[in-house]
């Protein structure tokens, strides 16, 4: 399509080759109504599209021109700059502004591919850095919209230094706990992709946008191989754990607003209409003496609410995030940000599914190493933003396959155990179905651990225990009783802190009733923990797990301190 600074009566779609009426094309924010192709947008067009009307204030980050190499190819570099400015009406390849997205304050840095291919030179690097420093000074989230062919060759190694400079600026925002979001547009390559573009806490891509260090032509010429269809596109990168989400242009504002609301705690307290559920049970004597094998069978019913069911009923404004940023996205583990009543949270959990197709897609709820690394990434984001973490656990255990072992399954689990032990934010874990072995514990090193009434939690499945110790898988009911896998026994042992009641007949018979009980349990538990400061949250967690098997279970007694208002 045309680059769109001037509106013509008809424009040609570069995606499908069809003619599109110009006014409709403009109304659709330069997205083809026929094939969905996202045409390029200029930086100021993009800012006007993303930010609230009347809120935009451009930031004057003009930097004196530099020609450190006195570079000349077919013409001097200063002359190329002059012509780029005349053609685009821009000073450089990025425009920075402050404004609001659905009322939420934000600093934006938006690149424009029309200016020198969006290349990263000293002026662009300085503008990105100044935008980050402004966000730091004002404690305002930073949104970066990228479009670049890479480093600016005419500035040589000075251009290369901008990668380090901008990355350093984003590191300062990490230390300060300020949200950074990248919106990847087509194309984003080279030095921009290998620095600030991929350092955002959340990376959102437009459909079809390409992102990579080296362009496909360079790769093919280097390795002498044909690249797969769709290589380096947003869809490829989502499957391979590099981007968090793909959003059509029309949904970007809403998604960004939800992220900003959670990060800045500026959403209204919204809550779906639901009856208040029963309080969690903390006294084993109040629980029925349920046969452990009966509990095992109840915990495995496919009709029970899944993690995404609970999140859908409890967490409003939820934005699911994907990927471990290392090359994979595990569908057996889901997570993201949203509001539990008026409490901003990071919610994470295993996801089984119900149908045969979904169970296969979700790996029967057994996470791979990529799943645990994704969970760790989200927990670090929670720690950065000061958000409580809630985990939902329903898994037979970590996936035991060849690829999982090759990819370091044991290491991924161990690193999660260590990470959760030291998180400086309130953490609550709930076993909603099966809690199987270390694969479950990797999400359950929390300040408070709850269980649904018909859930189970064990070091090994009853069948596995029976096969090993009784040499008879049919002895599973006997093994379940010996392992004390049910909620009442685990509450007596102190392994869990409370039991979430289920509706008569089980959670699978009444999802709304199960969600109401879960809401009450989680909100009450979080409100108990939220007054504690970071040091005492960690001490509390340490004491909780230190006592298991200890002759002196009261080794550490944390002192609760009121958290100072932000």
């Amino acid at each position: 399509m045309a680059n769109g600074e001037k509106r013509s009566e008809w424009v040609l779609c570069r995606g499908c080759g069809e003619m599109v009426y110009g006014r409709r094309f403009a109304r659709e924010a330069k997205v083809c109504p026929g094939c969905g192709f996202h045409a390029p947008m200029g930086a100021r067009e993009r800012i006007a599209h993303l930010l609230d009307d009347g809120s935009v204030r451009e930031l004057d980050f003009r930097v004196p021109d530099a020609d450190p190499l006195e570079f000349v190819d077919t013409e001097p570099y200063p002359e190329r700059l002059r012509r780029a400015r005349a053609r685009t009406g821009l000073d450089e390849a990025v425009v920075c502004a402050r404004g609001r997205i659905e009322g939420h304050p934000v600093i934006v840095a938006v690149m424009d591919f029309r200016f020198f291919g969006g290349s990263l030179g000293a002026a662009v690097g300085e503008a990105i850095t100044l935008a980050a420093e402004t966000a730091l000074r004002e404690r305002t989230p930073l949104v970066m919209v990228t479009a670049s062919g890479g480093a600016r060759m005419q500035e040589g190694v000075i251009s290369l230094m901008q990668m380090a400079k901008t990355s350093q600026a984003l590191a300062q925002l990490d230390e300060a706990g300020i949200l950074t979001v990248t919106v990847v547009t087509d194309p984003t390559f080279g030095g921009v992709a290998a620095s600030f573009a991929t350092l955002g806490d959340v990376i959102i891509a437009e459909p079809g946008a390409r992102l990579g260090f080296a362009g496909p032509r360079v790769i093919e010429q280097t390795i002498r191989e044909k690249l797969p269809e769709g290589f380096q596109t947003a869809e490829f990168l989502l499957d391979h754990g590099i981007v968090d989400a793909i959003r059509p242009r029309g949904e970007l504002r809403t998604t960004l607003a939800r992220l900003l609301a959670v990060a800045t705690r500026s959403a209204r307290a919204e809550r779906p209409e639901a009856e208040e559920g029963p309080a969690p049970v903390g006294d084993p004597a109040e629980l029925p003496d349920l046969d452990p094998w009966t509990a095992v069978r109840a915990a495995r019913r496919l009709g029970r609410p899944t993690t995404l069911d609970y999140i859908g009923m409890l967490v409003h404004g939820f934005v699911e995030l994907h990927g471990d940023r290392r090359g994979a996205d595990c569908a057996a583990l889901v997570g993201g940000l949203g509001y539990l009543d008026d409490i901003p949270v990071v919610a994470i959990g295993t996801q089984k599914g119900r149908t045969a197709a979904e169970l296969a897609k979700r790996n029967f709820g057994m996470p791979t190493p990529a799943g645990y690394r994704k969970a760790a990434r989200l927990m670090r984001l929670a720690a950065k933003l000061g958000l409580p973490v809630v985990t939902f656990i329903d898994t037979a255990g970590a996936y035991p396959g060849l690829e999982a072992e090759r990819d370091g399954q044991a290491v991924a689990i161990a690193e999660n155990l260590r990470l959760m032990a030291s998180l400086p934010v309130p953490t609550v874990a709930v076993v909603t179905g099966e809690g199987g072995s270390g694969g479950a514990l990797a999400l359950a090193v929390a300040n408070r651990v709850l269980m649904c009434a018909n859930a189970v939690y064990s070091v090994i499945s009853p069948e596995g225990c029976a096969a090993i110790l009784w040499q008879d898988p049919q002895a599973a009911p006997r093994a379940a009783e010996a392992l004390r896998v049910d909620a009442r026994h685990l509450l007596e042992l102190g392994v869990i802190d409370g039991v979430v009641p289920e509706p008569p007949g089980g959670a699978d018979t009444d999802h709304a009733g199960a969600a109401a009980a879960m809401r009450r349990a989680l909100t009450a538990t979080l409100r108990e923990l939220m007054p504690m400061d970071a040091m005492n949250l960690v001490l509390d967690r340490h004491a909780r797990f230190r006592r298991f098997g200890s002759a002196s279970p009261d080794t550490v007694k944390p002192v609760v301190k009121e958290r100072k208002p932000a």
Side-chain angles (χ1 to χ4, degrees), residues 386-425:
L387 303 178
V389 173
V390 175
T391 63
F392 299 92
I393 300 159
D394 182 14
T395 180
Y399 184 63
L402 174 64
E403 285 301 317
E405 290 298 314
R406 184 179 293 154
D407 199 25
Q409 184 71 285
V411 175
I413 291 171
E415 289 181 344
N416 268 30
L417 299 178
R418 178 173 61 185
L419 173 63
M420 287 200 79
S422 61
L423 286 177
V425 294

Side-chain angles (χ1 to χ4, degrees), residues 152-385:
R152 189 168 296 179
M153 291 179 288
Q154 290 86 348
E155 295 185 18
V157 76
I158 300 302
S159 173
L160 188 68
M161 294 302 105
Q162 305 310 308
M163 294 171 64
K165 175 177 171 177
T166 55
S167 299
Q168 180 175 275
L170 262 67
Q172 290 180 306
L173 295 179
D174 288 339
E175 292 173 7
I178 297 170
L179 177 71
T180 56
V181 182
T182 303
V183 177
V184 176
T185 73
D186 187 62
T188 299
F189 282 117
V192 169
S195 58
F196 61 90
T198 48
L199 291 178
D201 297 314
V202 179
I203 302 176
I204 302 170
E206 288 191 333
R210 292 166 296 163
L211 169 74
F213 181 57
R217 185 166 53 188
V218 172
I219 296 172
E220 287 185 337
Q221 289 175 350
T222 302
I223 66 175
R224 307 294 182 186
E225 291 181 14
K226 184 70 177 173
L227 297 176
E229 188 71 23
F231 182 71
Q232 292 181 317
T233 62
E235 294 74 16
F236 178 91
L237 297 168
L238 183 67
D239 288 342
H240 289 81
I242 305 301
V243 303
D244 285 288
I246 298 172
R247 290 290 186 273
R249 198 166 283 166
E251 297 178 13
L252 274 174
R253 269 175 54 84
T254 299
T255 300
L256 290 171
R258 288 179 169 185
L259 291 168
L260 294 170
V262 175
T264 59
R265 298 160 179 79
S266 54
R268 294 191 310 274
E270 299 176 7
R271 170 176 168 167
E273 290 297 325
E275 294 183 6
E276 190 67 45
V281 178
D283 182 357
E286 297 179 19
L287 295 171
D289 191 6
L290 184 67
D291 171 57
W293 182 242
T294 301
V296 170
R297 289 184 294 174
R300 292 174 176 172
R301 290 178 194 158
L302 288 179
R304 292 178 67 81
T306 66
T307 290
L308 287 177
D309 289 332
Y310 279 121
I311 288 175
M313 291 183 284
L314 301 179
V315 182
H316 64 86
F318 181 70
V319 180
E320 184 176 353
L321 305 180
H322 292 267
D324 66 352
R325 297 272 176 95
R326 285 182 46 177
D329 181 46
C330 174
L333 195 140
V334 297
L337 291 77
Y339 268 83
L340 175 63
D341 286 1
D342 60 340
I343 306 171
V345 298
V346 170
I348 302 168
T350 57
Q351 177 71 14
K352 281 184 177 178
R354 294 194 183 88
T355 65
E358 190 177 9
L359 286 164
K361 174 187 173 184
R362 300 285 184 179
N363 213 25
F364 294 84
M366 294 186 290
T368 62
Y372 292 112
R373 288 195 291 262
K374 173 165 63 173
R377 184 170 77 83
L378 295 180
M379 290 177 196
R380 291 189 186 98
L381 177 58
K384 170 181 171 174
L385 299 177

Side-chain angles (χ1 to χ4, degrees), residues 24-31 38-41 49 206 249-250:
R24 183 180 183 185
F25 178 51
R27 284 197 307 271
E28 299 289 338
K30 296 184 138 180
V31 177
H38 283 53
M41 291 185 88
H49 175 68
E206 288 191 333
R249 198 166 283 166

Side-chain angles (χ1 to χ4, degrees), residues 110-178:
V110 181
M111 303 190 74
D112 196 316
F113 193 80
R114 297 171 305 147
F115 194 105
F116 259 84
S119 54
L120 178 61
V124 172
E126 180 68 5
I128 297 290
T129 301
L130 288 169
E133 290 172 349
T134 302
L136 178 65
R137 185 171 60 255
E138 299 179 4
R139 299 202 63 80
T140 302
L142 173 67
V143 174
M144 302 165 289
V145 183
T146 62
S148 176
R152 189 168 296 179
M153 291 179 288
Q154 290 86 348
E155 295 185 18
V157 76
I158 300 302
S159 173
L160 188 68
M161 294 302 105
Q162 305 310 308
M163 294 171 64
K165 175 177 171 177
T166 55
S167 299
Q168 180 175 275
L170 262 67
Q172 290 180 306
L173 295 179
D174 288 339
E175 292 173 7
I178 297 170

